[in-house]
Amino acid sequence: MNPMIWIIDDDASIRFVFDKALDVNSIRHRLFENGDAALAALSHEIPDVIVSDIRMPGVDGLTLIKEVHKTDPDIPFIIMTAHSDLAAAIDSYEQGSFEYLPKPFDIEAAVAVIRRAALHRFNTRKMREEKARQGDAHSPKDQLDDEEEIIGKSPVMQEVFKFIGRVSKTDLPVLIHGEVGTGRELVALALHNHGARRGKPFVTVNMSSVPQDMVQSQIFGDTKNVDDEPSSLKQAEGGTLFINEICDMPMDAQTRLLRLLQTGDYIPVGSDHPLKANVRIIASSSKDLETMAQNGTFIADLYYRLNVINVNMPPLRERNNDIPMLAKHFLSQAAAEAHTEPKKLTSEVLVFLCRQSWPGNVTQLKNLCKYLTIMVTGNDIQLVDLPQDFLHARTQPIHTPGVTPINGTTKDATSWQDQLRNWVDSRLRSGERDILSEAVPEFERVMLEATLSFTGNHKQESARLLGWGRNTLTRKIKELNIK
């Protein structure tokens, strides 16, 4: 790949800086002082990437995008703009620009964006050539091909896979418990796709997103709304109806669903005549339905009808050894969507990610990978590349086997302070003395190693974060023999 880059700017100093930077990086390029000259050159040469100012005499940047994309709509366009041109920069995205550089910009960052745009151009061209070789014939896609993978090698996920294998061939109702973002819908879809109803409709209704007064009509139909789309049950006929967050289903809709599970028929809203339904019901909940049934906020009989077969989806914090595999998968997925090369997580980042509590579970990790794919310029993702709010989020406490403290009871550590307290209790009960001489150096070692890892071994920044002077940090590294 030896791309040709065009730089278009009426400011001679900008052209000079790009000329030197691209020369140093051995990147082929041409310089233009206005859009008219670039359009004239377009008649006999097609560039791979165009970097253009947005406001220039004659043809401006936005007009240039339109004209260039008439010739080749796949040419990535990088718009340079001052902060006052932000609205115009947004317009440039709408016109199809690849990226924009707010002035003043760092020239090394600009070169990195150009490289990314060139790679995007290369991948787009490759995809088009591959498509052309294959011709226009398309084989129908199986629903399994569109299914997002359930990924994991941890013991808890192996149990989930075994569950899917055993239960998919049955037609019994299934109840999936799990926190938000754990992948409950993926399990439901896998049960459908591996079962006898494979190839039939799989219809999802999310109770969290349907207005309470519309739930009955949407699922069971309404005789007054004959012109509206069919009910969820009619759409799912012969297949599977997945009711997500059934814990939020209103009582009147619960009553209708209970009848369906008892008799195999249901009554649309506004009708007295029951209709037969040939569907499998799979439901999920992020709340404890058993407790809700006991306190009367969920119909107990419906809970027991649904709970014939149940599975718990583990939260990500309980399967953190799956995080490296999941992250690699999501980064590859995000890179394919962005037509770029997948980025890689450094070991420090992987360790950091494995210690997070992940309140949004797998969905949160997936979204983080999308963010990093778009926002990180280099190929290797460092700790400093993570969003600030994520970096400062509380890490997941490391649960260790409980020890027997002074009062004779056993407790699990729920914070680092509790873990330290348990450690002190354990040492004192074993008859040890002078325990600070052991604890303080180890405490300083952990603090130092974690901070150095966080800053990428930047000693001055590490000293600042720890509240030490540079000389103190250097002395501590030597005393503690930290490599």
Side-chain angles (χ1 to χ4, degrees):
M1 187 175 70
N2 188 18
M4 167 59 74
I5 315 300
W6 283 8
I7 307 296
I8 308 167
D9 199 307
D10 58 322
D11 187 333
S13 62
I14 296 288
R15 298 198 303 274
F16 176 82
V17 169
F18 269 109
D19 187 34
K20 296 302 178 186
L22 294 174
D23 271 343
V24 166
N25 286 276
S26 302
I27 297 175
R28 295 190 305 142
H29 60 280
R30 287 188 63 183
L31 307 174
F32 299 89
E33 64 180 16
N34 56 59
D36 298 279
L39 285 177
L42 195 64
S43 61
H44 52 80
E45 181 182 1
I46 303 294
D48 293 295
V49 178
I50 295 179
V51 183
S52 172
D53 190 15
I54 202 165
R55 299 188 186 278
M56 299 177 291
V59 176
D60 62 23
L62 295 182
T63 304
L64 192 60
I65 292 176
K66 293 178 185 176
E67 294 303 315
V68 168
H69 282 175
K70 287 178 183 176
T71 301
D72 188 335
D74 293 331
I75 296 176
F77 228 100
I78 300 170
I79 285 290
M80 295 180 285
T81 174
H83 287 295
S84 58
D85 290 332
L86 185 57
I90 294 171
D91 288 341
S92 77
Y93 276 122
E94 294 175 352
Q95 296 295 337
S97 70
F98 177 80
E99 184 61 277
Y100 84 93
L101 295 172
K103 294 180 179 180
F105 50 80
D106 179 80
I107 189 60
E108 290 183 5
V111 171
V113 172
I114 289 172
R115 288 188 186 279
R116 182 157 57 88
L119 182 61
H120 173 80
R121 166 73 161 172
F122 175 77
N123 288 335
T124 301
R125 184 178 291 162
K126 223 165 74 168
M127 287 171 62
R128 289 196 183 280
E129 290 172 355
E130 183 67 24
K131 187 176 179 181
R133 278 197 299 270
Q134 292 175 353
D136 294 328
H138 292 86
S139 58
K141 276 196 171 184
D142 194 301
Q143 193 164 7
L144 265 178
D145 295 332
D146 294 329
E147 178 188 345
E148 190 174 335
E149 290 182 75
I150 308 174
I151 296 172
K153 290 185 177 178
S154 58
V156 288
M157 287 308 296
Q158 293 305 308
E159 290 302 312
V160 172
F161 297 149
K162 289 178 188 175
F163 168 86
I164 293 171
R166 291 171 184 155
V167 176
S168 58
K169 305 304 179 186
T170 76
D171 237 6
L172 294 170
V174 176
L175 183 57
I176 307 168
H177 285 286
E179 295 177 10
V180 172
T182 50
R184 290 169 291 158
E185 185 168 359
L186 292 182
V187 173
L189 185 57
L191 287 169
H192 171 82
N193 281 336
H194 289 279
R197 295 178 183 267
R198 171 192 175 109
K200 298 293 184 180
F202 177 86
V203 177
T204 298
V205 182
N206 193 329
M207 292 296 98
S208 310
S209 58
V210 181
Q212 294 278 292
D213 59 348
M214 295 294 294
V215 169
Q216 290 192 84
S217 298
Q218 178 162 335
I219 295 178
F220 304 99
D222 192 331
T223 56
K224 295 178 183 177
N225 300 328
V226 291
D227 294 330
D228 289 348
E229 65 177 25
S231 67
S232 299
L233 278 171
K234 280 194 175 297
Q235 292 179 51
E237 181 65 21
T240 301
L241 177 63
F242 173 56
I243 305 175
N244 199 5
E245 295 295 13
I246 196 169
C247 48
D248 294 329
M249 177 180 269
M251 281 290 187
D252 48 10
Q254 289 183 36
T255 303
R256 291 179 187 271
L257 182 60
L258 176 58
R259 177 192 173 111
L260 175 64
L261 291 173
Q262 288 173 327
T263 66
D265 60 42
Y266 66 97
I267 300 177
V269 177
S271 173
D272 296 323
H273 303 293
L275 301 175
K276 283 291 182 184
N278 175 22
V279 294
R280 183 186 192 181
I281 301 294
I282 300 178
S284 81
S285 174
S286 59
K287 298 175 185 175
D288 186 349
L289 284 186
E290 185 175 9
T291 300
M292 292 180 67
Q294 289 171 355
N295 63 30
T297 53
F298 195 86
I299 296 176
D301 197 10
L302 176 58
Y303 166 68
Y304 294 118
R305 293 271 179 181
L306 289 169
N307 200 40
V308 177
I309 300 175
N310 67 77
V311 62
N312 284 304
M313 281 299 291
L316 187 54
R317 62 183 172 274
E318 292 181 7
R319 46 178 292 221
N320 56 5
N321 52 339
D322 285 336
I323 287 176
M325 183 192 311
L326 285 163
K328 182 178 181 181
H329 172 75
F330 291 142
L331 286 170
S332 296
Q333 200 175 62
E337 292 173 3
H339 305 295
T340 186
E341 289 295 315
K343 299 186 185 301
K344 297 176 182 177
L345 300 174
T346 61
S347 57
E348 291 83 4
V349 173
L350 277 174
V351 170
F352 181 83
L353 294 183
C354 289
R355 296 189 64 242
Q356 299 309 299
S357 57
W358 297 105
N361 291 294
V362 178
T363 300
Q364 184 183 5
L365 175 60
K366 181 178 182 179
N367 290 338
L368 176 66
C369 290
K370 287 182 178 180
Y371 168 89
L372 294 171
T373 296
I374 299 301
M375 300 303 294
V376 176
T377 302
N379 189 49
D380 292 332
I381 296 170
Q382 311 288 340
L383 274 173
V384 292
D385 294 322
L386 298 177
Q388 286 300 307
D389 56 344
F390 191 85
L391 273 174
H392 297 123
R394 186 175 179 180
T395 55
Q396 168 68 11
I398 301 173
H399 292 275
T400 55
V403 298
T404 305
I406 295 172
N407 60 15
T409 61
T410 299
K411 64 178 181 178
D412 288 326
T414 57
S415 68
W416 70 267
Q417 293 96 332
D418 286 337
Q419 292 183 54
L420 178 59
R421 189 174 290 108
N422 286 352
W423 180 85
V424 172
D425 287 342
S426 176
R427 290 296 190 272
L428 292 176
R429 284 179 61 80
S430 66
E432 292 188 24
R433 296 294 180 267
D434 194 25
I435 59 176
L436 273 177
S437 64
E438 177 186 356
V440 171
E442 286 306 308
F443 177 80
E444 289 182 339
R445 179 189 303 280
V446 170
M447 293 287 287
L448 251 173
E449 288 178 343
T451 307
L452 286 168
S453 174
F454 178 81
T455 63
N457 215 35
H458 193 289
K459 293 182 174 57
Q460 186 171 343
E461 177 65 7
S462 296
R464 185 185 70 81
L465 292 174
L466 287 167
W468 286 345
R470 174 66 185 269
N471 291 340
T472 302
L473 181 132
T474 303
R475 176 170 54 81
K476 290 289 185 183
I477 289 175
K478 188 175 180 180
E479 287 176 359
L480 298 169
N481 195 28
I482 294 175
K483 303 298 183 185

